[in-house]
């Protein structure tokens, strides 16, 4: 069971992402590279699945698809971020690929790939929960209903045996989690999978703050997630009508509809939700990348297409390069890395490091759990009084404050702290007692 804090189980998500990071820490040590590596490898694996699928029709289309996917803003961020969404995407990608190739692959492919549907769903259940099944079932159902393929899909895939496999892989952890920490299933299935999406600003969140946004915002998030292609690809359509393109065969049209249903499924499902973040658009990005790549691949103006794609990659690189430089200069990403490093170079002996503002992961990670985190400035004052900070002495304590919190300090402490410098979003002070 993942734990949110000492004695507090983390019921908001299943454990797959936690396991991935923990294994990486075990192999490579506790550091930033080890934390991010599993998600980067997952991103490479997904891109390879896209490339391998597309190359069965066109090598150029495969290259375009992987470039469009890897060069989209959300995918680029998710490839280096420690979050559950990339693990979910591994599951949904396998499931959607397995369904299609289980229907339309050659005979060896059909026998092999159709099981990926159920393995992928099990991975999704362990990565983020039942939402993985919904995000796969919705586009499959829409595609089958609109193309008249319900019967063929039912006959071609081992739904009963596959369902047993899916539950055999995923259900044991759910049962054990409820047994070890009673109340998990109610909170996770009802709270996280119903109230979170139907109640704007849901107040039952045990681990953070609900994200209340206008319903339908997911479509704007999706446009941002696909940047810069959202803005560049329309220019690629200029003059396209004058270029003759051969009519697509029926299977190719069915495939295009399948990718469209898949790519838009997260937007359709989350349209009615007012409690979302932009990463919810991630499961649809591989499909949209393949759909756009097929469209570009049919354009005979190859030099023009290559220019647009290269411009998009250059724009993305410069944009994120600028953001990283800005972060280094201003600490805009609210990381505690810089202030912890400053504390390490200035401390003597076992000087304590105190953060104010509640529990945050960044101070805990960079200090290896040594930093003490206090709820607010009054709690800090009480902590200092308890340790005898007002009296004389020679021991030292370091205090990391944000948002001019030093002005809230009682005068008895404000007059005694020594400013060490600003590091990122934090100001570091020291005081002897």
């Amino acid at each position: 069971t993942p734990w949110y804090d000492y004695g507090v189980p983390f019921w908001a998500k299943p454990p797959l992402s936690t396991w991935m990071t923990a294994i990486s820490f075990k192999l490579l040590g506790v550091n930033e590279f080890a934390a991010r590596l599993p998600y980067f490898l997952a991103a490479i694996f997904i891109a390879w699945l896209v490339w391998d699928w597309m190359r069965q029709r066109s090598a150029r289309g495969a290259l375009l698809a992987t470039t469009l996917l890897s060069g989209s803003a959300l995918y680029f961020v998710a490839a280096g971020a420690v979050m559950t969404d990339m693990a979910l995407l591994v599951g949904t990608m396998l499931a959607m690929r397995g369904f299609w190739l289980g229907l339309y692959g050659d005979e060896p492919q059909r026998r092999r790939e159709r099981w990926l549907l159920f393995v992928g769903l099990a991975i999704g259940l362990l990565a983020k929960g039942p939402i993985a099944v919904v995000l796969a079932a919705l586009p499959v159902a829409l595609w089958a209903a609109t193309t008249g393929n319900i019967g063929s899909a039912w006959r071609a895939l081992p739904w009963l045996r596959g369902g047993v496999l899916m539950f055999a892989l995923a259900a044991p952890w759910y049962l054990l989690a409820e047994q070890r920490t009673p109340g998990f299933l109610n909170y996770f299935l009802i709270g996280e999978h119903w109230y979170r999406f139907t109640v704007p600003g849901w107040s039952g969140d045990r681990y953070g703050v609900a994200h209340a946004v206008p319903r339908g915002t997911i479509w704007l998030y999706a446009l941002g997630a696909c940047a810069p292609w959202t803005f560049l690809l329309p220019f690629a359509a200029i003059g396209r009508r004058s270029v003759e393109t051969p009519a697509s065969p029926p299977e190719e049209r069915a495939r295009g509809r399948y990718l469209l249903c898949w790519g838009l499924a997260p937007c359709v499902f989350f349209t009615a939700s007012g409690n979302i973040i932009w990463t919810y658009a991630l499961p649809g990005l591989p499909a949209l990348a393949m759909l756009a790549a097929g469209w570009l691949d049919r354009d005979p103006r190859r030099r023009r297409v290559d220019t647009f794609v290269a411009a998009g990659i250059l724009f993305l690189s410069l944009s994120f390069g600028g953001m990283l430089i800005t972060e280094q200069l201003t600490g805009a990403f609210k990381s505690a890395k810089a202030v912890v490093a400053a504390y390490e170079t200035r401390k003597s002996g076992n000087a304590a490091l105190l953060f104010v503002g509640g529990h945050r992961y960044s101070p805990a990670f960079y200090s290896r759990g040594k930093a003490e985190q206090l709820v607010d400035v009054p709690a800090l004052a009480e902590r200092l009084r308890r340790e005898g900070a007002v009296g004389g002495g020679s021991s030292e304590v370091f205090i990391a404050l944000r948002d001019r919190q030093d002005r809230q300090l009682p005068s008895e402490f404000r007059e005694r702290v020594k400013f060490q410098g600003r590091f990122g979003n934090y100001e570091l002070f020291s005081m002897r007692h």
Side-chain angles (χ1 to χ4, degrees):
T1 300
W3 293 84
Y4 179 71
D5 203 346
Y6 297 105
V8 182
F10 184 61
W11 286 346
K13 298 291 184 292
L16 183 57
S17 292
T18 304
W19 290 346
M20 290 165 60
T21 304
I23 291 171
S24 187
F25 282 165
K26 199 75 172 177
L27 295 175
L28 303 173
V30 179
N31 54 72
E32 290 172 285
F33 177 78
R36 301 181 191 279
L37 180 62
Y39 307 92
F40 180 67
L41 295 178
I44 292 176
F45 177 60
I46 293 164
W48 178 83
L49 289 172
V50 168
W51 174 82
D52 181 67
W53 189 353
M54 288 290 291
R55 75 179 176 89
Q56 298 175 28
R57 286 175 169 78
S58 166
R60 176 176 168 80
L63 179 61
L64 287 169
T66 52
T67 303
L68 294 176
L69 176 62
S70 303
S72 59
L74 177 54
Y75 195 83
F76 185 83
V77 170
V82 182
M83 58 186 186
T84 59
D85 300 86
M86 189 58 80
L88 169 67
L89 185 54
V90 170
T92 55
M93 179 69 208
L94 288 171
M96 301 306 292
R97 171 183 164 127
F99 176 83
W100 184 260
L101 294 180
L103 282 178
Y104 290 105
D106 55 35
E107 184 57 32
Q109 269 190 324
R110 289 199 298 271
R111 288 197 302 268
R112 179 181 69 251
E113 298 277 346
R114 61 186 181 177
W115 294 104
L116 289 183
L117 167 61
F118 306 100
V119 172
L121 292 177
I123 290 173
L125 285 170
L126 288 173
K128 205 143 187 176
I131 189 66
V133 178
V134 173
L135 292 176
L138 178 61
V140 165
L142 286 174
W143 174 82
T146 57
T147 58
N149 281 292
I150 295 177
S152 60
W154 178 258
R155 291 188 298 270
L157 296 167
W159 295 101
L160 181 58
R161 289 177 294 161
V164 171
L165 174 64
M166 178 186 72
F167 281 105
L169 293 173
W173 179 82
Y174 281 81
L175 298 177
L176 287 170
E178 176 65 24
Q179 181 185 45
R180 301 286 175 84
T181 57
F184 159 72
L185 289 177
N186 179 70
Y187 176 84
F188 182 66
L189 297 179
I190 305 301
E192 289 285 339
H193 283 80
W194 179 251
Y195 294 146
R196 174 172 292 279
F197 303 120
T198 60
V199 181
W202 173 49
S203 60
D205 194 321
R206 294 165 58 107
Y207 311 104
V209 179
H211 308 275
V213 297
R215 301 181 191 278
T217 302
I218 186 63
W219 293 91
L220 296 178
Y221 285 163
L223 292 176
C226 294
W229 315 119
T230 311
F231 316 106
L232 286 176
L233 288 183
F235 288 100
I238 297 175
R240 186 181 173 96
R241 288 185 179 180
S242 62
V243 180
E244 294 185 2
T245 55
S248 301
E251 182 183 327
E252 193 64 25
R253 290 197 298 271
R255 180 174 171 277
R257 184 174 297 184
Y258 178 72
L259 294 175
L260 184 63
C261 291
W262 170 11
L264 297 183
C267 295
V268 172
F269 180 74
F270 291 116
T271 291
S273 176
N275 186 15
I276 56 172
I277 54 179
W278 80 312
T279 57
Y280 288 6
L282 185 62
L285 293 191
L288 296 177
M290 288 189 285
L291 188 65
W295 179 72
L296 290 174
D297 190 30
R298 292 192 297 272
D299 194 326
R301 303 168 299 173
R302 294 198 167 194
R303 180 172 296 181
R304 178 185 177 92
V305 168
D306 292 345
T307 299
F308 278 116
V309 173
I313 294 298
L314 179 61
F315 177 83
L316 184 80
S317 302
L318 293 176
S319 297
F320 278 96
M323 289 176 60
L324 290 173
I325 293 172
T326 301
E327 191 276 332
Q328 291 294 322
L329 296 176
T330 66
F333 293 167
K334 303 180 181 179
S335 169
K337 180 179 180 179
V339 72
V340 172
Y343 154 78
E344 292 287 350
T345 60
R346 288 164 171 77
K347 72 171 183 174
S348 58
N350 294 321
L353 175 60
L354 310 179
F355 281 82
V356 178
H359 181 85
R360 294 189 179 95
Y361 291 114
S362 186
F365 177 81
Y366 288 109
S367 70
R368 303 293 182 92
K370 296 178 181 178
E372 184 177 341
Q373 302 196 51
L374 303 164
V375 175
D376 51 24
V377 172
L380 170 66
E382 178 61 28
R383 163 71 166 77
L384 295 175
R385 291 191 186 98
R386 189 171 65 249
E387 294 297 322
V390 178
S394 59
S395 61
E396 192 173 26
V397 61
F398 286 83
I399 307 166
L401 300 175
R402 291 175 54 190
D403 304 323
R404 301 188 180 276
Q405 290 173 321
D406 59 304
R407 298 183 178 182
Q408 304 171 29
L409 281 170
S411 58
E412 58 187 293
F413 303 118
R414 192 165 57 246
E415 296 171 357
R416 302 189 58 201
V417 296
K418 179 181 178 182
F419 180 64
Q420 296 287 340
R422 184 173 183 85
F423 306 94
N425 267 8
Y426 290 92
E427 291 181 326
L428 185 65
F429 298 85
S430 64
M431 184 170 61
R432 291 193 175 276
H433 59 88

